[in-house]
Amino acid sequence: MPATHANESRLLIKGATVLTMDPALGDLTTGDILVVGDRISAVGPELSDPAAEVIDARGMIAIPGLIDTHMHAWQTPLKGLHASGWTFDDYQSRVFCLREHFGVEDIHDATLAGSIEMLDAGVTGVLDFCHNVMSPQHAEAALNAHRATGQRTLWAYGMLGDLDGSPQEDGWRLDHIRALREETGDGGLLRIGMALASIERGSMGRIDKEIGLARELGMRMTLHQNPAGQIRALHEAGLLGPDIVPAHANAADDEELELIAACGGGISFTPECEFGGGRSMTVLNRAHRAGVTPSLGIDTPARVPIDLFAAMRLTFLLMRSVDAFDEREAGRYPLTRRPGIPMVEPRHMLEYATVNAARAIGLGDDLGRLAPGQLADIVLVDPEPYGVALGDPAAHVVLRTQPRDVDTVVVGGTVRKRAGSLTDLDRADAGAATRAVRERIFADAGSAPQGVAR
Ligand SMILES: [Zn+2]
């Protein structure tokens, strides 16, 4: 399949409302997108190309493909296990403890299931934080699954070994990631990145070594950032940079957010898991104010659905809610509009999930906008049969769209979903993979959770 992705095919999307997310092009009420090979060649009204395959997109809204910047695809078959999770111990004892029961085949099938579901839901790109690399073969299996689905992936090789952070765990992972990086390069749909060990479970010395290798190899990095003070610690160690995407960062204070902004960095916010995990919810308003570029993620499918539209919707409502709380606290109620308040419009969320996310995964110049020269990752949203919202079409996308409304998905110029159906992947394969993983890991673990028949 990857060979057919690198084609010089020509595709013409006709008559959509085009949200380019490009400051120079803006929105086109009715416009066309011409794709040649894996990139967008032209965007404008009344384009023609007799050699192109034409997609009639009248009545639809074209957006850049959505990009999830914090996802653990290996947990896809564990849907529901963390639904009512409350404490970190719940997560450890219900979800993370199953890590050791994932064999090589399980990692492959779980990743495949997650990637198919993401593509179906308009998520053309993902930063897959794989903290279940228990052998080199596990890593190869996850990569093979991503190769099979053809989703645009920054696969972040998890450095986390034993939860006690034994430094001797490092060696083979560092050697293997170097080999993988050299083998995979940095130009295709699949790129290798690094998921740093959690600082609280390792040491700054260990993190320093990991970051050193990632920078030597030119790899993007990400890390779970939950305890307070870690951003400052990275800065003081001279390690903070825009090539690291901290996930969550709820506990970062304003000064730490300014440090991230000063180096041109972003954070990945995962609204449903932040809500469910009981974390402070003010970080995005503070980050937005500090000039950080936020992006969005699902985090664990064990807790929440694979739905970036929901993530955008919840984040918008949350940020409005935090603004209103601050206004009430300051005695300004009933609410009035004043400069900078409210802070965001629905369209900002689309920017988070496209432009900002592309920057987070290191493709800020090439991805995230519908503009000539950009990689052709495109989603068509169909507002029918119930009708498009009045007003800003970006608000329809952010507040009224669900994965089932994704009519067409294009990744790197190749049509992966059309008229609501995946073209070269099968939803049933994702379901079968999920069932197979469950059967194997719960047999290995010696027990399975109670509930509906699997
Ligand atoms: Zn996570």
Side-chain angles (χ1 to χ4, degrees):
M1 199 168 13
T4 57
H5 292 159
N7 51 39
E8 282 297 304
S9 59
R10 306 174 81 84
L11 178 69
L12 184 56
I13 295 171
K14 294 282 293 175
T17 294
V18 184
L19 307 183
T20 70
M21 304 311 287
D22 183 276
L25 296 176
D27 294 349
L28 283 71
T29 305
T30 306
D32 305 340
I33 305 167
L34 178 62
V35 175
V36 178
D38 66 351
R39 290 193 184 252
I40 294 170
S41 145
V43 178
E46 303 295 335
L47 301 178
S48 67
D49 183 337
E53 175 193 350
V54 174
I55 291 182
D56 180 355
R58 284 174 296 178
M60 297 196 206
I61 303 171
I63 58 172
L66 302 178
I67 303 165
D68 182 320
T69 59
H70 187 67
M71 167 70 169
H72 306 296
W74 70 271
Q75 295 181 347
T76 301
L78 307 183
K79 285 173 181 159
L81 269 193
H82 199 40
S84 65
W86 184 247
T87 65
F88 188 69
D89 281 349
D90 289 346
Y91 176 69
Q92 297 288 83
S93 62
R94 295 173 187 180
V95 179
F96 210 66
C97 64
L98 292 171
R99 189 169 74 141
E100 63 192 77
H101 299 291
F102 273 71
V104 169
E105 201 181 357
D106 300 313
I107 286 287
H108 175 276
D109 288 358
T111 305
L112 186 87
S115 189
I116 291 174
E117 190 169 344
M118 283 188 269
L119 282 167
D120 200 13
V123 181
T124 55
V126 65
L127 194 172
D128 181 7
F129 189 127
C130 188
H131 48 359
N132 192 352
V133 184
M134 305 313 275
S135 74
Q137 292 72 35
H138 282 72
E140 311 272 2
L143 291 170
N144 283 335
H146 282 300
R147 287 190 186 102
T149 68
Q151 189 184 21
R152 192 176 299 284
T153 303
L154 176 62
W155 188 77
Y157 193 124
M159 290 289 119
L160 187 67
D162 284 347
L163 291 180
D164 64 4
S166 315
Q168 66 270 23
E169 286 277 336
D170 271 352
W172 63 266
R173 289 191 175 84
L174 294 174
D175 292 343
H176 189 221
I177 197 172
R178 178 188 290 279
L180 282 179
R181 166 68 182 194
E182 282 162 7
E183 177 191 314
T184 312
D186 199 34
L189 284 174
L190 179 59
R191 297 149 65 230
I192 307 285
M194 186 187 282
L196 303 169
S198 298
I199 296 176
E200 66 274 21
R201 297 192 179 278
S203 64
M204 280 307 278
R206 176 175 170 178
I207 296 290
D208 189 9
K209 203 164 135 195
E210 292 173 2
I211 293 177
L213 178 63
R215 291 201 170 131
E216 180 202 327
L217 300 174
M219 287 189 303
R220 307 293 293 192
M221 291 161 277
T222 183
L223 88 163
H224 278 128
Q225 208 286 289
N226 291 311
Q230 293 186 338
I231 299 294
R232 186 173 292 103
L234 285 170
H235 170 73
E236 284 168 0
L239 297 173
L240 191 63
D243 50 358
I244 303 176
V245 183
H248 314 304
N250 305 67
D253 62 30
D254 289 351
E255 194 185 291
E256 289 181 291
L257 293 170
E258 278 158 24
L259 291 172
I260 295 174
C263 72
I267 60 171
S268 180
F269 185 76
T270 67
E272 289 170 281
C273 280
E274 320 293 358
F275 273 122
R279 303 193 184 104
S280 162
M281 304 301 273
T282 65
V283 67
L284 265 198
N285 294 60
R286 295 186 293 110
H288 197 98
R289 198 177 288 123
V292 170
T293 50
S295 54
L296 301 176
I298 292 303
D299 198 356
T300 175
R303 192 194 275 280
V304 304
I306 293 174
D307 182 355
L308 264 190
F309 294 103
M312 291 194 286
R313 184 162 67 244
L314 282 166
T315 302
F316 171 72
L317 295 171
L318 166 72
M319 291 181 76
R320 283 289 173 102
S321 166
V322 170
D323 276 346
F325 178 83
D326 289 346
E327 292 294 274
R328 289 198 305 276
E329 287 293 291
R332 291 187 286 268
Y333 196 86
L335 300 172
T336 55
R337 281 188 183 268
R338 54 190 197 85
I341 300 293
M343 191 176 280
V344 289
E345 299 299 326
R347 181 172 290 261
H348 283 103
M349 301 302 116
L350 196 51
E351 195 177 315
Y352 288 5
T354 58
V355 177
N356 290 5
R359 186 186 301 179
I361 61 168
L363 295 174
D365 293 336
D366 287 300
L367 185 68
R369 292 173 286 128
L370 300 180
Q374 291 274 295
L375 289 164
D377 293 4
I378 305 166
V379 166
L380 296 178
V381 165
D382 187 359
E384 298 304 329
Y386 300 113
V388 71
L390 299 169
D392 185 356
H396 182 93
V397 173
V398 169
L399 299 176
R400 296 180 180 277
T401 299
Q402 304 176 43
R404 71 177 184 198
D405 303 328
V406 172
D407 178 273
T408 298
V409 173
V410 177
V411 181
T414 302
V415 179
R416 311 303 309 283
K417 182 177 183 182
R418 180 135 183 214
S421 296
L422 293 168
T423 56
D424 53 359
L425 295 168
D426 196 331
R427 288 169 178 158
D429 288 344
T434 284
R435 284 190 296 279
V437 171
R438 289 175 177 181
E439 222 160 84
R440 291 189 297 254
I441 62 167
F442 292 126
D444 192 58
S447 68
Q450 300 299 305
V452 293
R454 293 182 309 276

